[in-house]
Each structure stands twice: as structure tokens, then as C-alpha cells.
Amino acid sequence: MKPLVQQSNDRPRVGPTSLAAALLLAVVALLLAVGCSPLRLLTPQQRLLTKVEVQSEGLSTAQQERLLTLVQQKPNRTIPIPKLAVYQLGHSFYDSTRIERRITKIKDRYTSRLAAVQGDSARTSKLLARRDRLLARKRTALEKGNSIMRLGEPPVIYDPTLSQRTVEQLTTYLRSQGYFRAQASFTDSARSKPSLIASALRAVGLRKPVRPVPLRDSAGQRLHRLVTVTYQVKEGQDFTYSRLTRSIPDSGVARVVAGAQGATVLRVGDAYNEDVIGQERQRLESLLKNAGYYDFRAQYITLEADTSFETNQVRLRLLIASPPGGHRAYHLRKVTVLTDVSQTRALRLASGDTTRRAGRRAGGRVVAPADSTNVSGRAVGSASGRISTANMPAGVTPAAVADSLSARRLRRVGRRAAPRDTVRLDSIIFSSRGPLPISPGILARQVTVRPGQLYNQARTQRTQRQLSSLDMFRFNTVSYRKVTDRPDAGEVGGNTEGVAADSSRTLTASSAAAVLTGPAAPGLLDAIVTTSPSPRFSETTEFGGTYVATKVGPFANFRLKWRNPFGGAEVLELSARAGLEGQLAQLGNDSVSIATYTLQYGATAALLVPQFLVPFRLGNFLADYQPRTRFALSTTFTKSAYYTRSNTEFTFDYLWQTSAYQQYIFTPVDLGIVSTPVISKFYRDRLTSLRINQGSPLYRSFQPIYEPSFSFTSLYNSNDLTQTRNASYLRVFAELGGLTRGLYRNESWFQKTRLSVYNFAKITVDYRRYYKLSPTTYLAWRLNGGLAHALTTTPDTTGENGRGTVDRFIIPYDKYLFAGGSNSVRAWSPRRLGTGSYATLLPSVNGQPQERDYYTEQPGEVLLEGSVEYRFPVYSFIKGALFTDFGNVWALQPDTNRPGAEFLVNRFYKQFAIASGFGVRMDFTFLILRFDVATKVFDPTETGQPWRLRNAIKTTNNQTVINVGLGYPF
């Protein structure tokens, strides 16, 4: 018997079973390809737009992107998710017949219910509201598809007429940019070759073959169902300005324009650009409105372009037309501040409505409202409901007439009107019912318009902004009333025909004096500042919870705001907070941690005064920039499994705002005391081990410390609260502390306090940029850096290895810089990233190898970090984000216990930690709830395998972090 022949199992085998499986897999793939084709959603005569291109000869990238925004039809979006695929997925579950049946059932069901409760108006209203909500939901699903379809986008059916309209818009835009000889055209071809899957589907008969005589597109090619539209642009040579001239008949307007010619945005030699011309028109309008021309409008401004003189050059002519009677520069005759107008009345004044409100009937008689103050007054028996000021005697105001009429009406029903108290200060009339609640001197500093001034739009806006910043009023308005011309005005103000045709005389100082002396000379305005007071007391109570370390932590915040407590428009805020938060605590030398609670509570008292409190009136030089002084006292108490700690701080700040975007804060006094009366034995030993073996300064955070300092902050932010603009953000913070410690540090009275005091310098710079890519998509990036260091050395009694005394550069622990957390590098826990490439280790247990310490904070003296984030809509109020963060902290001083922690120029860029992830944001308008999932991509402290992205799928322990927060991360 022959022995069996041995066969090798190393080479692959192909048998009938494997062939059948491969064939089955191929068939399934083909069927899925057929079922997932977006062409199934199209009728036979429709084509799907898949790509749009703009080709030009010499346009910049920015100009080409601008051209793309003018395209009437754009293909379905594929970033961050394929919208058409999502729509097609929802379409597979969509059944319009079933929805219509559901609508019919809802109508029938509620018809019977309404019949059953007939006569009960309350229940009928509830049933009708519920029925309407259900029907609206079903009709939305019928018209726009189910929720999955609305999450995606329906297929973009190609329309050649829209392409032709796009060509016209592209040509119009290019000519507005100075390309007067620009030409545009388009081709709608699908020149790509059939894919391998499409060819296979045709081979097995699952897709229709190509027609023998195919239709032709605009390029003469075979008509495909997937369309690529290409727009060809030939812009030609751009035109530049060769001459700029002006034609202004009104000499007063011409004088104002000529005086500000240096601020023009149009220059000879610049390229013709209608966007810049629009900016020049806005500049001229603002210029003239700030020069007294209350009635001036941009419609009077015309800029004529003439290209008939030189080749590729434009002569631009500025024309400012004059209305019938000419332009008129207005002076202010009187400024009145109404401090207590009701909310409804203020709204009507803001909209220009001065007609009488409908009264309330009481006992068959019409009762006037309690607050019937009317700035313009009311004429008795007047059909318009207004009081005429033309024949009003000198010294009688519209408000006085309104009060008289109100008192007359109230006396008819046995009521009396409260007297109106009027105070004149700094040429401003302050009027209120009863004594003025706010010091008129404070209000006068916020009002920047004065009698005798020319009308100025900028001062008007500044007055509104400064009054709003007081936080005393719900809202405020500044309106103007023209003083009616009188027949004898020519005797006083010189109202001749020549003056009416030319405004130059109304701009002179002598004419200003003349118009103020006449009883009703032309070119006069009465300014009325209307304010609606806010409640004197307001309180806010917040309750919530956190979920950290598998523990639910409740918290509560209470804030009481007291407006005008001392009569000077001050704001006193008292707040208290308390809460529990879960924390992973390591109570032994091993790496095992347990979940415990941390208790924290505190209180804050802050007083905001709307002026600089400085001696000798030194703060007057910033009177136009909303100066404020703030006093704040706060204390915080924290109790955890490791320690019990208190922190008390007092600050004295000066704040001012030079524009709507720029704010400054100078803090001459910042005093803080940190005390830790209780530290557990385990944590004390842990701090000692970190200090001796690894050089960690964490132990200083638990020493009694006195922290005196002063600081300066500059903040520029051109964005809004919801971050929906092309904007920039820059915050610069500088602080110096402990400069005077040499005066008292060695005194006996200070040494009895057992407080440590250090001198230091700290500076941080945070820059952010926001780009609006489309109406709903944004790109934001951020760079943040900082530096903190001691100015001189301080004797450290712990010495080397915990013994002796050594001079060290020491700063307070809370002045160090930290990285990691929901607003930093999001794949690391707060304050746990760093230091450099040094990894903190846990103590060895029973001779076992030391494990990584992910619980200890990592302070640094140098901080560099940044983020890039793409934000996009997902569905309704749900927004999404894709982000990448990088950063780290380093030490400035070399430390043999922490190799790799020192900042060195030749290696710091290799020590950046990198994290990436995605986020979900719920935009509720009044707040944004944020969920960010971030995973570690590069960890510089992992010297063996720093690239960690492959671990994201294997494990989440110390790899992936879920961050929950309010608002955007930056």
C-alpha cells in the first residue's frame, strides 16, 4: 500500500464554494449600486447636475469664488455628509398616499371630538390648536418629505435657462468690477467616461444601453444624465480711474465734502469697482449727516463713469443734487430727556407714531392712560391727534401741553396726574414724573447732543449706545422734531430765497447764534431722548446638573441685580452659587480611582459705577468712551476628598469702550488670599512625592498665599453673540504682581500670617478669526499663547530633594498656564496636557513598573495652542462641527526631574499634542448646548508610540473625551 502523498496547506485554494460566495457578493454589490443610483429619482427627460466650474483667464481666487456665489444652480452638497444620499435614503421610506390617508384620519377624528365638546370654548380651542399642529406636521411631510429627506437635499435637476441667467449675472458682476469688455458663456457637458460599474450594469442588462442616435448638449457631445456645467469667462483688461471730478451746486455741501477729501476711498489709478463706489456713497452720506444735514439721503449722490476719453480708463464724476429749496444744515434748539416714559409709549415714539392711544372706558367715560406724556403733544379737536407747536408761546413745551390735557381728562373721572419734575443741567432739560430717580449729572455725561450743535448722526448713535450701557433702561430712542418755519423767520435767521437755495450760511457760527435767538427760525431741531426704565430689582435663578465620573451633580445659581441703589445709575449685583460635581479620586498608591463628590459654593458682590472714580477729575479725558468703575468681592469654598480650600479676592477695575468692538480694562488693585486649612494625609504625601521626585509645583497651590497684582486687558471683538459674521477677536492681557513685597515680606506682622507672596509677570494673547463661507457654514480658527515667569527668585525652604533652602523662580500656582479641556485641546482633560514631552508617573507599588498619571494637573510657564473648526448646519436647530486642536505647555527653567518639559526653540514644534473630532451643537437662540467628541491623534508624552489615532477604535480609556459645554469653544 502506497503511503499517502503529503500536500501543503500554505497555498490558497479556489473551490466551488468560494466562487459562489464571490459571485453572490458581486451580484449583491450590483443590486445595491442599482438601488442607490440617484438617477432613480429623475424622470426620463431630467438630468442631474453634479459639478459646476468657473474658468477664467486672470481672475484671482477670491474673484472666482465670488463668481461661484452667483451661480443659480449648484450641485448637491457632499460635505460633511452626502445630502443627496441622505435624501434618497429617506425617499425609500416615503409614501405620500399613506400621509394623505393619515391627514384624512386626523380631520375625521378631530371633527368628531369637536362635535362632542361643542359649547365648551376652552376645550374647543385646545382641540383646534392640537389638530392644527398635527396637520401642519403632516403637510410638511407631504410637501417636503419625511424627516430623513429634509435632513438631506432633493436632487438638483439641471435647468439650462438658469445657466443662461447665470451668464448674464456673471457679465453684470464683472462689469461692475471694471471689466467693461467681459464676456461669459457656458457648456453643459458630461465628458467623463462611463464608470466600470455602469459598464457592468449595461452588460448584464440592468441599465439601458446608449441610444444609437444620442441627443446632443450645448458642446455637441452626447447627452448624459449627469451634467457638468462649465462657465467660461473672458474678463479682458480692467479699467482704472484717470480723473476724479466733483459737481456740487450747494457751496455748503461742497465745502464739507472738500474738507474730508483725504478720507475718500477713490483714488486715481485704482481699478473701477462699484463696491468701492458704494462705500464712497455711504461715506459721503455719513459725512454730511454728521455735518448737520438731517434730511440728506444717499439718493442725492450720483457717480457718473465716462470711458470715451482714454483706452481702458474711466473718468469719474461726483454729482450731489439739491432738492427743491436746497439742502439745509440743522442746528439743535433744545434737548429734552424724558426719563420715565412707559414701554408702549416709547415704542410708539421710536416708530414715529405720536397719535393718541385708545382710552379705557370706566363708568361710561373714556379714561386717559396714566402715562400720557406726548413729546409732540396733541391738538384739541385735531383729527390727527397731534399738538401743533407753530403758535405755541415761548417757554411752553409739548410735554407741558400733554400733561395739561392729561390732567384735564383725569379730573373728569376724579383722578389727578402726577406733576412732572423738570431740571435743567448743562443746557439739557430732564423731565420725569416726580423727583428724578437718577442723578442728572450722570445722565448728562451719557447724552452727547447739546443745543447749538449741528445735527450729528454719530453723536446720536453714541448717545443711544451710552444710555444702553448704563443698564438702567429697557431701551431708549433719540428722535428729532423739526421746528416749523414762521413767516417772520427771515428777520431773525435770514430766511431769504438765496439761503434756501444754498446751505453755506447755516454752517457758520454766526448763523448758529442767529437761529437760536429767533422764535422759530429755519433749520432748527428739537432733540427728544426717550427712555423706558427697567425694573429696579431683577433676579435670576438657575438650576441644573452635571454628569461627571458616573455621578449626577446638581447645582444652583442665584443672582440679584439692584439698579440705581444710590441714585447715580449704579448697578449692584449679588450672586451665590452652590453645587456638587463628580470627580475621579485616587485614594491609594495604585492606579485605581473611585468616583466621589466635590462640594463648591461661593458668593460675589459687585458694584458698577458709570464714571471713573479718580481724584482731581482726571477721568474726564475719557468721558466720551463710557467710563465705568467696578468693585468686586468674591469668595469660593471647595471641599473634595483631597482637601478643603477657600479663595477670596477683591478687585478694583476701570472700564471704558472706545467703539462698539473695542473695550479696555485696567485693574490697579487685585488682591487675593488662598488658604487650604485641610489636606488629607494621602494627598499631602502625594504632593510631597511630586515635588521631590518630579519637580511638580502643584504643592504651592495648597500653601497660604497672598496675591497682590495689577493688570491691563484689551479686548476687540467684531462678532455677534451667535458668531455669524466675518469677524476677528483679539484679547491681550498683561499682569504684574508682588512688586511691593519687599516692603512688608520680612516684617513680623506679615510673617505671623504665614502667607507667602511672590512677584511675577504674565502676558497672554488670544486671536480668533471667523469666516462666513455661506449663509449657514463657517470656518473659525484660533491661536492662543502665553508666558508667565517670576521677576526675582524667592527662597524655597523645601530645597533640593525636600531639604535645605534654595532660591527659585516661583509664581503663584493659579498664575501658571494650562492646556486641555473643552475650550482648549479637547482630547485631554482640563489642565492635564503637558508638560512638553514629559509624562508624570504614579508611584511604584510593590516594585511594579510605574503607570501614567492622568489625574495630576500640568502647570506650565509657556502656552501655545490653536484650533481649526468647520461649522455647518445638520437639521433645524442642530448644527455640526469638525475640528482639530493642537497645543502644549512648557517650563522655562531646566529641571532634571522633568526631562523634556523645558521649552527649547529647536524642539518645541515637535511636542505639540494634536486632537481631532466632531461636535454637535443645539442652537436654542438664547443658548447653545455643545457636545464635542475628541480623540488623541498625537501625544508627545508617549515616547514609544506618539501617534494614537489607531487606538481610537480599540479603546476609549485616556484616548477619547466627550466634552459638554455652553456656547462655542471659541
Side-chain angles (χ1 to χ4, degrees):
M1 186 174 180
K2 295 182 179 181
L4 296 175
V5 178
Q6 295 181 354
Q7 297 181 355
S8 174
N9 294 325
D10 294 336
R11 62 177 182 269
R13 297 182 181 182
V14 179
T17 305
S18 59
L19 287 175
L23 182 60
L24 179 61
L25 183 61
V27 172
V28 172
L30 290 176
L31 292 176
L32 289 176
V34 174
C36 295
S37 174
L39 300 178
R40 297 177 62 252
L41 302 175
L42 276 60
T43 63
Q45 300 300 323
Q46 291 178 337
R47 293 191 292 165
L48 179 67
L49 181 62
T50 58
K51 189 176 182 181
V52 172
E53 296 177 335
V54 175
Q55 298 177 354
S56 64
E57 295 178 348
L59 294 179
S60 63
T61 303
Q63 289 175 318
Q64 291 187 19
E65 292 178 352
R66 179 69 178 89
L67 292 178
L68 281 174
T69 62
L70 301 175
V71 176
Q72 295 292 302
Q73 271 193 312
K74 296 182 179 65
N76 295 103
R77 291 176 292 173
T78 57
I79 297 176
I81 57 175
K83 295 287 187 176
L84 180 56
V86 174
Y87 179 88
Q88 189 174 359
L89 175 63
H91 189 270
S92 62
F93 305 104
Y94 179 70
D95 187 350
S96 60
T97 305
R98 184 176 60 182
I99 297 176
E100 291 175 349
R101 290 198 303 265
R102 183 61 179 166
I103 291 176
T104 303
K105 290 182 179 179
I106 293 174
K107 291 180 178 179
D108 295 341
R109 182 170 71 251
Y110 277 89
T111 299
S112 60
R113 291 185 179 182
L114 289 171
V117 298
Q118 189 173 8
D120 190 340
S121 59
R123 295 187 60 185
T124 300
S125 299
K126 292 181 180 179
L127 288 175
L128 287 174
R130 193 178 308 166
R131 183 199 63 181
D132 292 342
R133 286 197 302 268
L134 292 175
L135 290 177
R137 194 178 307 162
K138 293 302 177 182
R139 290 189 179 115
T140 300
L142 185 63
E143 297 172 1
K144 300 181 180 181
N146 53 39
S147 58
I148 301 178
M149 294 171 66
R150 296 196 298 271
L151 184 61
E153 291 177 351
V156 179
I157 309 302
Y158 174 64
D159 186 353
T161 59
L162 294 179
S163 296
Q164 184 60 43
R165 192 180 304 171
T166 299
V167 168
E168 297 173 359
Q169 292 195 356
L170 294 180
T171 304
T172 302
Y173 170 75
L174 290 172
R175 291 176 180 174
S176 71
Q177 301 300 300
Y179 299 98
F180 292 118
R181 297 188 176 92
Q183 296 179 354
S185 60
F186 77 95
T187 56
D188 51 359
S189 302
R191 301 179 180 177
S192 59
K193 296 181 179 179
S195 64
L196 181 61
I197 294 179
S199 300
L201 292 176
R202 288 195 183 95
V204 297
L206 295 177
R207 178 170 291 185
K208 294 181 180 180
V210 180
R211 296 180 57 179
V213 184
L215 299 176
R216 301 294 174 177
D217 58 17
S218 61
Q221 303 294 325
R222 183 170 59 84
L223 189 62
H224 293 268
R225 301 197 70 188
L226 300 179
V227 182
T228 297
V229 179
T230 304
Y231 295 94
Q232 293 88 15
V233 174
K234 296 180 180 180
E235 63 274 10
Q237 182 66 36
D238 60 339
F239 283 63
T240 58
Y241 301 119
S242 63
R243 183 181 298 180
L244 302 174
T245 59
R246 296 193 300 268
S247 176
I248 307 176
D250 191 301
S251 60
V253 174
R255 187 186 310 167
V256 173
V257 173
Q261 184 60 28
T264 181
V265 296
L266 299 175
R267 298 283 190 276
V268 174
D270 290 351
Y272 178 89
N273 191 314
E274 290 187 3
D275 295 336
V276 179
I277 290 176
Q279 296 174 14
E280 178 70 5
R281 295 182 74 220
Q282 293 177 1
R283 184 190 72 85
L284 292 173
E285 182 185 13
S286 299
L287 173 68
L288 291 169
K289 280 184 173 292
N290 291 333
Y293 291 93
Y294 175 73
D295 291 324
F296 191 85
R297 299 293 181 266
Q299 288 77 5
Y300 296 129
I301 304 174
T302 303
L303 289 105
E304 295 181 348
D306 192 344
T307 61
S308 61
F309 289 93
E310 298 91 5
T311 304
N312 295 331
Q313 289 188 341
V314 179
R315 291 188 178 184
L316 196 65
R317 184 186 180 200
L318 170 64
L319 301 173
I320 299 182
S322 296
H327 293 287
R328 178 178 295 180
Y330 286 84
H331 292 79
L332 302 186
R333 186 185 71 165
K334 181 173 58 177
V335 178
T336 304
V337 179
L338 304 178
T339 61
D340 56 354
V341 177
S342 66
Q343 183 176 359
T344 304
R345 181 63 182 154
L347 284 172
R348 296 171 63 227
L349 287 174
S351 62
D353 180 13
T354 59
T355 57
R356 183 175 57 183
R357 293 182 300 175
R360 299 186 301 270
R361 291 192 174 272
R365 295 184 179 182
V366 178
V367 182
D371 185 1
S372 60
T373 304
N374 190 335
V375 176
S376 62
R378 301 188 182 94
V380 180
S382 172
S384 64
R386 301 174 185 266
I387 292 179
S388 174
T389 59
N391 301 312
M392 192 174 292
V396 178
T397 64
V401 178
D403 290 343
S404 176
L405 295 176
S406 176
R408 185 182 305 172
R409 295 188 188 97
L410 292 174
R411 281 196 299 269
R412 295 174 184 170
V413 294
R415 296 170 58 187
R416 298 181 62 185
R420 179 167 288 279
D421 190 4
T422 301
V423 176
R424 182 184 293 271
L425 178 66
D426 195 9
S427 70
I428 302 176
I429 300 173
F430 297 92
S431 180
S432 67
R433 296 197 181 278
L436 287 173
I438 301 176
S439 170
I442 297 295
L443 294 178
R445 281 194 286 268
Q446 316 305 320
V447 179
T448 59
V449 294
R450 293 290 187 276
Q453 294 178 345
L454 284 169
Y455 166 76
N456 189 291
Q457 186 183 51
R459 280 197 291 261
T460 301
Q461 295 172 348
R462 191 192 312 161
T463 297
Q464 290 182 281
R465 187 169 61 248
Q466 293 185 171
L467 286 173
S468 298
S469 68
L470 290 178
D471 195 19
M472 294 289 109
F473 311 106
R474 288 189 178 97
F475 50 84
N476 67 86
T477 61
V478 181
S479 57
Y480 293 91
R481 299 286 189 270
K482 292 182 181 179
V483 179
T484 307
D485 296 345
R486 294 186 57 178
D488 59 347
E491 301 177 4
V492 182
N495 187 19
T496 64
E497 184 179 355
V499 174
D502 192 279
S503 64
S504 58
R505 294 187 58 185
T506 61
L507 290 172
T508 61
S510 60
S511 65
V515 296
L516 291 176
T517 57
L524 291 180
L525 295 174
D526 286 341
I528 300 97
V529 182
T530 306
T531 61
S532 178
S534 296
R536 192 170 189 184
F537 294 95
S538 62
E539 60 88 17
T540 304
T541 304
E542 298 177 349
F543 296 95
T546 60
Y547 184 76
V548 181
T550 69
K551 284 188 173 294
V552 177
F555 67 85
N557 297 324
F558 174 79
R559 186 178 68 174
L560 175 65
K561 179 181 289 188
W562 183 3
R563 295 180 176 88
N564 198 33
F566 309 114
E570 306 89 356
V571 177
L572 177 62
E573 288 193 8
L574 305 175
S575 61
R577 57 198 176 277
L580 294 171
E581 184 174 337
Q583 178 185 13
L584 288 176
Q586 181 191 3
L587 302 181
N589 290 327
D590 53 12
S591 59
V592 178
S593 59
I594 62 173
T596 61
Y597 273 117
T598 296
L599 171 64
Q600 186 177 76
Y601 59 87
T604 301
L607 177 66
L608 188 65
V609 182
Q611 58 180 317
F612 277 167
L613 298 183
V614 291
F616 312 116
R617 298 183 177 271
L618 296 178
N620 290 338
F621 70 99
L622 291 175
D624 294 334
Y625 300 116
Q626 305 176 43
R628 289 166 289 171
T629 304
R630 179 174 60 195
F631 302 91
L633 177 64
S634 63
T635 182
T636 303
F637 179 85
T638 305
K639 182 178 182 181
S640 69
Y642 296 143
Y643 56 83
T644 299
R645 186 183 184 189
S646 65
N647 188 346
T648 303
E649 184 178 17
F650 170 78
T651 58
F652 172 40
D653 307 316
Y654 292 118
L655 304 91
W656 67 98
Q657 190 168 349
T658 58
S659 69
Y661 304 139
Q662 182 69 57
Q663 183 182 16
Y664 298 97
I665 303 174
F666 174 58
T667 305
V669 178
D670 187 346
L671 306 177
I673 296 179
V674 179
S675 176
T676 310
V678 178
I679 303 178
S680 67
K681 182 180 182 304
F682 164 77
Y683 200 60
R684 188 184 300 275
D685 295 340
R686 177 63 176 151
L687 293 175
T688 303
S689 174
L690 290 173
R691 172 174 53 83
I692 296 176
N693 300 324
Q694 303 184 36
S696 172
L698 180 60
Y699 71 97
R700 298 194 192 108
S701 178
F702 302 94
Q703 293 179 340
I705 299 177
Y706 171 57
E707 299 178 356
S709 67
F710 65 94
S711 62
F712 178 80
T713 304
S714 171
L715 178 61
Y716 176 85
N717 185 9
S718 59
N719 214 334
D720 53 17
L721 293 177
T722 55
Q723 298 187 3
T724 57
R725 299 177 182 169
N726 280 312
S728 300
Y729 174 98
L730 176 63
R731 182 181 184 271
V732 180
F733 173 79
E735 184 179 15
L736 290 173
L739 297 183
T740 60
R741 66 171 184 164
L743 301 177
Y744 54 83
R745 182 178 59 173
N746 296 323
E747 298 294 332
S748 59
W749 63 268
F750 184 79
Q751 291 181 349
K752 291 179 181 179
T753 64
R754 304 185 66 181
L755 294 173
S756 301
V757 59
Y758 308 112
N759 57 15
F760 65 92
K762 181 179 180 180
I763 183 171
T764 61
V765 180
D766 185 0
Y767 180 74
R768 308 170 188 179
R769 191 71 174 89
Y770 305 90
Y771 298 94
K772 189 173 184 178
L773 304 180
S774 73
T776 56
T777 58
Y778 306 89
L779 178 67
W781 58 268
R782 172 197 188 195
L783 291 176
N784 183 31
L787 182 68
H789 197 256
L791 299 177
T792 59
T793 59
T794 301
D796 187 0
T797 56
T798 59
E800 295 291 342
N801 297 324
R803 294 182 297 274
T805 301
V806 176
D807 290 339
R808 300 180 186 273
F809 289 96
I810 303 175
I811 65 176
Y813 185 79
D814 57 355
K815 303 302 178 183
Y816 278 100
L817 302 167
F818 299 88
S822 61
N823 296 325
S824 180
V825 186
R826 281 165 272 190
W828 275 261
S829 299
R831 304 162 71 101
R832 264 64 177 184
L833 172 56
T835 308
S837 59
Y838 173 74
T840 306
L841 303 176
L842 294 172
S844 177
V845 179
N846 299 326
Q848 298 294 326
Q850 291 180 294
E851 297 182 4
R852 281 291 305 273
D853 182 5
Y854 295 101
Y855 308 101
T856 303
E857 295 180 353
Q858 304 297 329
E861 296 168 299
V862 179
L863 167 67
L864 290 174
E865 65 179 2
S867 299
V868 178
E869 187 168 281
Y870 174 68
R871 301 167 182 171
F872 53 90
V874 177
Y875 179 72
S876 184
F877 63 92
I878 301 177
K879 311 297 174 63
L882 301 175
F883 59 84
T884 296
D885 307 323
F886 66 92
N888 209 332
V889 294
W890 295 265
L892 281 176
Q893 301 298 321
D895 191 344
T896 57
N897 292 325
R898 296 189 295 167
E902 182 184 2
F903 180 85
L904 296 177
V905 177
N906 60 350
R907 74 178 184 190
F908 79 94
Y909 58 90
K910 303 177 184 178
Q911 297 174 325
F912 280 122
I914 302 176
S916 292
F918 64 91
V920 176
R921 286 82 191 269
M922 298 183 181
D923 189 352
F924 299 106
T925 304
F926 57 92
L927 66 86
I928 296 175
L929 183 60
R930 171 167 54 95
F931 300 89
D932 288 339
V933 180
T935 188
K936 296 178 181 177
V937 176
F938 183 83
D939 187 353
T941 62
E942 296 285 349
T943 56
Q945 294 181 345
W947 293 99
R948 309 290 296 173
L949 188 58
R950 67 183 64 181
N951 295 337
I953 303 177
K954 299 178 182 179
T955 180
T956 58
N957 187 25
N958 298 317
Q959 172 64 35
T960 302
V961 176
I962 300 177
N963 299 276
V964 181
L966 297 177
Y968 288 104
F970 60 91

